[in-house]
Amino acid sequence: MLQGNKLKILNDPIYGFITIPNELLFGIMEHKYFQRLRRISQMGLSYLVYPGAHHTRFHHALGCLHLMQKAVRVLRLKGVEISEEEEEALQIAILLHDIGHGPFSHAMEHSIVEGVSHETISFLFMEEMNRKFNQRLTLAIEIFRGKYHRKFLCQLISSQLDMDRMDYLKRDSFYTGVAEGNINSERLISMLTVVNNELMVEEKGIYSVEKFLLARRLMYWQVYLHKTGVVAEQLLIRVLQRAKELVNSGRTLFASTALNHFLKQQVTAENFSEETLHIFARLDDYDILSAMKEWAHDQDFVLSNLCQMIINRDLLKVKLKKRPVADEKLEVHLQKLIAKHNISREEAQYFVFSGDISNLAYKKEDEKIHILFKSGKITDVIKASDHFNLKALSRPVTKYYICYPKP
């Protein structure tokens, strides 16, 4: 049971004071599953590029809660009916939307957990917490999964103009120092309205939406898909894959109990049990970092070198191309590495590889961002805008990369 007066105020560097409005929300925040987010970095290994980017998923979740409170206030002032139960459910859903992230945010999904997205794990955590909090999260889960009949409530949680994006762009811009991402989330929220159960933006907010979409594109190329950040994440994925390979071949590696479980087991969506969830809840960035510090001195050439590259920030060379990398180019670098260190082709492929990154600031196929004109006309932002660049933002841009050891 929750006891005592738990109305709390927290200080945030972006928004100032954030209010935790009731005991249930505070109880959820105090839960060990939520506290774990203090130990999960918001931007993975981006701090290797932007030294200030050490903020966590915990920071981000609180920022989203604050923006959601503002959004509800604005919509109510405009005559949109939102019950107290719906308001509380929105706040719970946005607070917990990222609770399923693993260490360094996305690397886990591509290495030691197979085909299990963080959204799936978030849902499992919410179900588990719902049992602990006497089913008081049921409506929040319905909204989180997009199953609630009032569509605009679901759009506040997940859409092309949701509270999640509004916070992470502003927050990541602040902590990286990349000013281009600094959107005016207050202005955007004040322009929100609801028509026919759909979230949309009033006509006078169109320039704020344009700025938001442009900021998103710039942040992706300058920050989230920065080539050094991309190669660092690829190295981390390969570290975990190699560790798993060695453990499966009979090697014993230093690892926390939780990390060891995921190295030994084939964890998929089908066998992700309640017990697996409890073990996953014990995993965070520190498990991976402490393991890598030990593995950097392992006898295995691949594992030790990959770990040293991340720990000492002595990364692979990475080049961006406009076209896919030719197999012959990869082969040249592979052969050089094989000859230099007398290693097998399979081992060399951990250090020489190619791939692609793509960025789409606005997905025309998804639920569009609609602009409501004073006349009552409703138009997609791309058609409503006189900004030529917005059409370009709705086309995907793909870049190709090749990674190989420095000479």
Short mmCIF file of all heavy atoms in Angstrom, two decimals, residues 35-70:
data_model
loop_
_atom_site.label_atom_id
_atom_site.label_comp_id
_atom_site.label_asym_id
_atom_site.label_seq_id
_atom_site.Cartn_x
_atom_site.Cartn_y
_atom_site.Cartn_z
N GLN A 35 13.37 2.89 -11.21
CA GLN A 35 14.65 3.41 -10.73
C GLN A 35 15.82 2.90 -11.56
O GLN A 35 16.86 3.55 -11.69
CB GLN A 35 14.85 3.05 -9.25
CG GLN A 35 13.95 3.81 -8.29
CD GLN A 35 14.25 5.30 -8.28
OE1 GLN A 35 15.40 5.72 -8.25
NE2 GLN A 35 13.19 6.11 -8.30
N ARG A 36 15.64 1.72 -12.16
CA ARG A 36 16.67 1.15 -13.04
C ARG A 36 17.00 2.09 -14.20
O ARG A 36 18.14 2.10 -14.69
CB ARG A 36 16.16 -0.21 -13.55
CG ARG A 36 16.94 -0.83 -14.69
CD ARG A 36 16.25 -2.12 -15.16
NE ARG A 36 16.70 -2.50 -16.47
CZ ARG A 36 16.18 -2.05 -17.60
NH1 ARG A 36 15.15 -1.23 -17.58
NH2 ARG A 36 16.65 -2.44 -18.77
N LEU A 37 16.03 2.91 -14.61
CA LEU A 37 16.25 3.82 -15.74
C LEU A 37 17.32 4.87 -15.43
O LEU A 37 17.86 5.49 -16.35
CB LEU A 37 14.95 4.51 -16.16
CG LEU A 37 13.84 3.60 -16.70
CD1 LEU A 37 12.62 4.43 -17.09
CD2 LEU A 37 14.32 2.78 -17.90
N ARG A 38 17.64 5.06 -14.15
CA ARG A 38 18.74 5.96 -13.78
C ARG A 38 20.08 5.40 -14.29
O ARG A 38 21.06 6.13 -14.40
CB ARG A 38 18.85 6.10 -12.25
CG ARG A 38 17.71 6.86 -11.59
CD ARG A 38 17.99 6.91 -10.09
NE ARG A 38 16.92 7.54 -9.33
CZ ARG A 38 16.83 8.84 -9.07
NH1 ARG A 38 17.74 9.68 -9.55
NH2 ARG A 38 15.83 9.33 -8.35
N ARG A 39 20.10 4.08 -14.55
CA ARG A 39 21.34 3.42 -14.94
C ARG A 39 21.34 2.99 -16.41
O ARG A 39 22.11 2.14 -16.82
CB ARG A 39 21.59 2.21 -14.02
CG ARG A 39 21.58 2.57 -12.53
CD ARG A 39 21.96 1.41 -11.64
NE ARG A 39 21.07 0.26 -11.78
CZ ARG A 39 19.89 0.12 -11.17
NH1 ARG A 39 19.44 1.08 -10.38
NH2 ARG A 39 19.16 -0.96 -11.35
N ILE A 40 20.42 3.58 -17.18
CA ILE A 40 20.35 3.32 -18.63
C ILE A 40 20.55 4.66 -19.35
O ILE A 40 19.73 5.57 -19.19
CB ILE A 40 18.98 2.73 -19.04
CG1 ILE A 40 18.66 1.44 -18.26
CG2 ILE A 40 18.93 2.49 -20.55
CD1 ILE A 40 19.41 0.21 -18.68
N SER A 41 21.61 4.80 -20.11
CA SER A 41 21.86 6.07 -20.79
C SER A 41 20.83 6.31 -21.89
O SER A 41 20.43 5.38 -22.58
CB SER A 41 23.28 6.11 -21.37
OG SER A 41 23.44 5.09 -22.32
N GLN A 42 20.41 7.54 -22.02
CA GLN A 42 19.40 7.91 -23.01
C GLN A 42 19.96 7.78 -24.43
O GLN A 42 19.25 7.41 -25.35
CB GLN A 42 18.95 9.36 -22.75
CG GLN A 42 18.07 9.97 -23.82
CD GLN A 42 16.66 9.40 -23.86
OE1 GLN A 42 16.25 8.68 -22.96
NE2 GLN A 42 15.93 9.72 -24.89
N MET A 43 21.25 8.07 -24.59
CA MET A 43 21.81 8.13 -25.93
C MET A 43 22.93 7.12 -26.18
O MET A 43 23.82 7.36 -26.99
CB MET A 43 22.29 9.55 -26.22
CG MET A 43 21.17 10.56 -26.28
SD MET A 43 21.77 12.22 -26.59
CE MET A 43 22.54 12.02 -28.18
N GLY A 44 22.86 6.00 -25.47
CA GLY A 44 23.85 4.94 -25.71
C GLY A 44 25.28 5.43 -25.54
O GLY A 44 25.63 6.02 -24.52
N LEU A 45 26.09 5.22 -26.57
CA LEU A 45 27.51 5.61 -26.51
C LEU A 45 27.78 6.97 -27.15
O LEU A 45 28.93 7.30 -27.45
CB LEU A 45 28.36 4.53 -27.20
CG LEU A 45 28.46 3.19 -26.44
CD1 LEU A 45 28.98 2.10 -27.36
CD2 LEU A 45 29.35 3.32 -25.22
N SER A 46 26.73 7.79 -27.32
CA SER A 46 26.92 9.10 -27.95
C SER A 46 27.84 10.01 -27.16
O SER A 46 28.37 10.99 -27.70
CB SER A 46 25.57 9.81 -28.14
OG SER A 46 24.83 9.16 -29.16
N TYR A 47 28.06 9.70 -25.88
CA TYR A 47 28.98 10.54 -25.09
C TYR A 47 30.42 10.42 -25.59
O TYR A 47 31.28 11.23 -25.25
CB TYR A 47 28.89 10.22 -23.59
CG TYR A 47 29.29 8.80 -23.20
CD1 TYR A 47 30.63 8.46 -23.06
CD2 TYR A 47 28.33 7.83 -22.95
CE1 TYR A 47 30.99 7.16 -22.70
CE2 TYR A 47 28.68 6.54 -22.60
CZ TYR A 47 30.02 6.22 -22.47
OH TYR A 47 30.38 4.94 -22.12
N LEU A 48 30.69 9.40 -26.43
CA LEU A 48 32.02 9.30 -27.04
C LEU A 48 32.19 10.37 -28.12
O LEU A 48 33.31 10.67 -28.54
CB LEU A 48 32.23 7.90 -27.66
CG LEU A 48 32.28 6.74 -26.66
CD1 LEU A 48 32.39 5.41 -27.40
CD2 LEU A 48 33.44 6.89 -25.69
N VAL A 49 31.07 10.94 -28.58
CA VAL A 49 31.10 12.03 -29.56
C VAL A 49 30.83 13.35 -28.86
O VAL A 49 31.55 14.33 -29.04
CB VAL A 49 30.04 11.82 -30.67
CG1 VAL A 49 30.16 12.91 -31.73
CG2 VAL A 49 30.17 10.44 -31.29
N TYR A 50 29.77 13.39 -28.05
CA TYR A 50 29.36 14.59 -27.32
C TYR A 50 29.55 14.33 -25.83
O TYR A 50 28.74 13.63 -25.21
CB TYR A 50 27.89 14.93 -27.62
CG TYR A 50 27.66 15.26 -29.08
CD1 TYR A 50 27.14 14.30 -29.95
CD2 TYR A 50 27.99 16.51 -29.58
CE1 TYR A 50 26.94 14.61 -31.30
CE2 TYR A 50 27.80 16.82 -30.92
CZ TYR A 50 27.28 15.86 -31.77
OH TYR A 50 27.10 16.17 -33.10
N PRO A 51 30.63 14.85 -25.23
CA PRO A 51 30.98 14.50 -23.84
C PRO A 51 29.87 14.77 -22.82
O PRO A 51 29.84 14.15 -21.76
CB PRO A 51 32.21 15.37 -23.55
CG PRO A 51 32.79 15.67 -24.89
CD PRO A 51 31.63 15.74 -25.84
N GLY A 52 28.95 15.69 -23.13
CA GLY A 52 27.89 16.01 -22.17
C GLY A 52 26.72 15.05 -22.19
O GLY A 52 25.85 15.11 -21.32
N ALA A 53 26.68 14.15 -23.16
CA ALA A 53 25.49 13.30 -23.35
C ALA A 53 25.45 12.12 -22.38
O ALA A 53 25.42 10.96 -22.79
CB ALA A 53 25.44 12.81 -24.80
N HIS A 54 25.44 12.44 -21.10
CA HIS A 54 25.40 11.39 -20.06
C HIS A 54 24.04 11.30 -19.37
O HIS A 54 23.93 10.67 -18.32
CB HIS A 54 26.49 11.65 -19.01
CG HIS A 54 27.83 11.11 -19.40
ND1 HIS A 54 28.13 9.77 -19.39
CD2 HIS A 54 28.94 11.73 -19.83
CE1 HIS A 54 29.38 9.59 -19.78
NE2 HIS A 54 29.89 10.77 -20.07
N HIS A 55 23.03 11.93 -19.95
CA HIS A 55 21.71 11.89 -19.32
C HIS A 55 21.07 10.51 -19.52
O HIS A 55 21.47 9.74 -20.38
CB HIS A 55 20.81 13.01 -19.84
CG HIS A 55 20.65 13.03 -21.33
ND1 HIS A 55 21.72 13.11 -22.20
CD2 HIS A 55 19.54 13.00 -22.11
CE1 HIS A 55 21.28 13.11 -23.44
NE2 HIS A 55 19.97 13.04 -23.42
N THR A 56 20.07 10.24 -18.70
CA THR A 56 19.52 8.87 -18.66
C THR A 56 18.06 8.82 -19.10
O THR A 56 17.38 9.84 -19.26
CB THR A 56 19.60 8.32 -17.23
OG1 THR A 56 18.72 9.11 -16.39
CG2 THR A 56 21.02 8.36 -16.68
N ARG A 57 17.58 7.58 -19.27
CA ARG A 57 16.16 7.35 -19.58
C ARG A 57 15.27 7.88 -18.44
O ARG A 57 14.12 8.24 -18.65
CB ARG A 57 15.90 5.85 -19.77
CG ARG A 57 16.57 5.29 -21.01
CD ARG A 57 15.69 5.40 -22.24
NE ARG A 57 16.48 5.30 -23.46
CZ ARG A 57 16.04 5.60 -24.67
NH1 ARG A 57 14.81 6.06 -24.83
NH2 ARG A 57 16.80 5.47 -25.73
N PHE A 58 15.79 7.91 -17.23
CA PHE A 58 15.06 8.43 -16.07
C PHE A 58 14.75 9.91 -16.28
O PHE A 58 13.61 10.35 -16.12
CB PHE A 58 15.91 8.22 -14.81
CG PHE A 58 15.24 8.59 -13.52
CD1 PHE A 58 14.44 7.67 -12.84
CD2 PHE A 58 15.40 9.85 -12.95
CE1 PHE A 58 13.82 8.00 -11.64
CE2 PHE A 58 14.79 10.20 -11.75
CZ PHE A 58 14.00 9.26 -11.10
N HIS A 59 15.78 10.69 -16.66
CA HIS A 59 15.59 12.12 -16.97
C HIS A 59 14.48 12.30 -18.01
O HIS A 59 13.60 13.14 -17.87
CB HIS A 59 16.85 12.72 -17.64
CG HIS A 59 18.01 12.95 -16.76
ND1 HIS A 59 19.26 12.45 -17.03
CD2 HIS A 59 18.14 13.67 -15.63
CE1 HIS A 59 20.10 12.84 -16.10
NE2 HIS A 59 19.45 13.59 -15.24
N HIS A 60 14.61 11.54 -19.08
CA HIS A 60 13.70 11.67 -20.23
C HIS A 60 12.26 11.36 -19.83
O HIS A 60 11.33 12.08 -20.21
CB HIS A 60 14.19 10.74 -21.34
CG HIS A 60 13.20 10.54 -22.46
ND1 HIS A 60 12.68 11.58 -23.20
CD2 HIS A 60 12.64 9.40 -22.97
CE1 HIS A 60 11.85 11.10 -24.12
NE2 HIS A 60 11.81 9.78 -23.99
N ALA A 61 12.07 10.30 -19.06
CA ALA A 61 10.71 9.91 -18.65
C ALA A 61 10.05 11.02 -17.83
O ALA A 61 8.86 11.32 -18.01
CB ALA A 61 10.76 8.61 -17.84
N LEU A 62 10.82 11.66 -16.95
CA LEU A 62 10.28 12.75 -16.13
C LEU A 62 9.91 13.95 -17.01
O LEU A 62 8.88 14.60 -16.80
CB LEU A 62 11.29 13.19 -15.07
CG LEU A 62 11.58 12.17 -13.96
CD1 LEU A 62 12.63 12.72 -13.02
CD2 LEU A 62 10.31 11.84 -13.19
N GLY A 63 10.76 14.24 -18.00
CA GLY A 63 10.47 15.33 -18.92
C GLY A 63 9.19 15.09 -19.69
O GLY A 63 8.37 15.99 -19.88
N CYS A 64 9.00 13.84 -20.13
CA CYS A 64 7.77 13.48 -20.87
C CYS A 64 6.54 13.65 -19.99
O CYS A 64 5.49 14.10 -20.44
CB CYS A 64 7.86 12.02 -21.35
SG CYS A 64 9.05 11.76 -22.66
N LEU A 65 6.66 13.27 -18.73
CA LEU A 65 5.55 13.42 -17.77
C LEU A 65 5.16 14.89 -17.67
O LEU A 65 3.98 15.25 -17.73
CB LEU A 65 5.97 12.88 -16.40
CG LEU A 65 4.99 13.15 -15.25
CD1 LEU A 65 3.69 12.37 -15.44
CD2 LEU A 65 5.62 12.79 -13.90
N HIS A 66 6.16 15.75 -17.55
CA HIS A 66 5.92 17.20 -17.42
C HIS A 66 5.20 17.74 -18.66
O HIS A 66 4.22 18.50 -18.55
CB HIS A 66 7.27 17.91 -17.25
CG HIS A 66 7.18 19.40 -17.22
ND1 HIS A 66 6.68 20.09 -16.15
CD2 HIS A 66 7.52 20.33 -18.16
CE1 HIS A 66 6.71 21.39 -16.41
NE2 HIS A 66 7.22 21.56 -17.62
N LEU A 67 5.64 17.33 -19.85
CA LEU A 67 5.01 17.81 -21.09
C LEU A 67 3.59 17.28 -21.22
O LEU A 67 2.70 17.98 -21.71
CB LEU A 67 5.84 17.40 -22.31
CG LEU A 67 7.23 18.05 -22.43
CD1 LEU A 67 7.91 17.61 -23.72
CD2 LEU A 67 7.15 19.58 -22.38
N MET A 68 3.37 16.04 -20.76
CA MET A 68 2.02 15.48 -20.80
C MET A 68 1.07 16.27 -19.91
O MET A 68 -0.09 16.53 -20.29
CB MET A 68 2.04 14.00 -20.38
CG MET A 68 0.71 13.30 -20.54
SD MET A 68 0.14 13.25 -22.26
CE MET A 68 1.11 11.87 -22.89
N GLN A 69 1.54 16.67 -18.75
CA GLN A 69 0.71 17.48 -17.85
C GLN A 69 0.31 18.79 -18.54
O GLN A 69 -0.83 19.23 -18.46
CB GLN A 69 1.48 17.78 -16.56
CG GLN A 69 1.67 16.56 -15.68
CD GLN A 69 2.64 16.80 -14.53
OE1 GLN A 69 3.39 17.78 -14.52
NE2 GLN A 69 2.65 15.90 -13.55
N LYS A 70 1.27 19.40 -19.24
CA LYS A 70 0.99 20.64 -19.97
C LYS A 70 -0.03 20.42 -21.09
O LYS A 70 -0.94 21.21 -21.29
CB LYS A 70 2.28 21.18 -20.59
CG LYS A 70 3.14 21.99 -19.64
CD LYS A 70 4.26 22.69 -20.39
CE LYS A 70 4.98 23.69 -19.52
NZ LYS A 70 4.16 24.77 -19.00
#
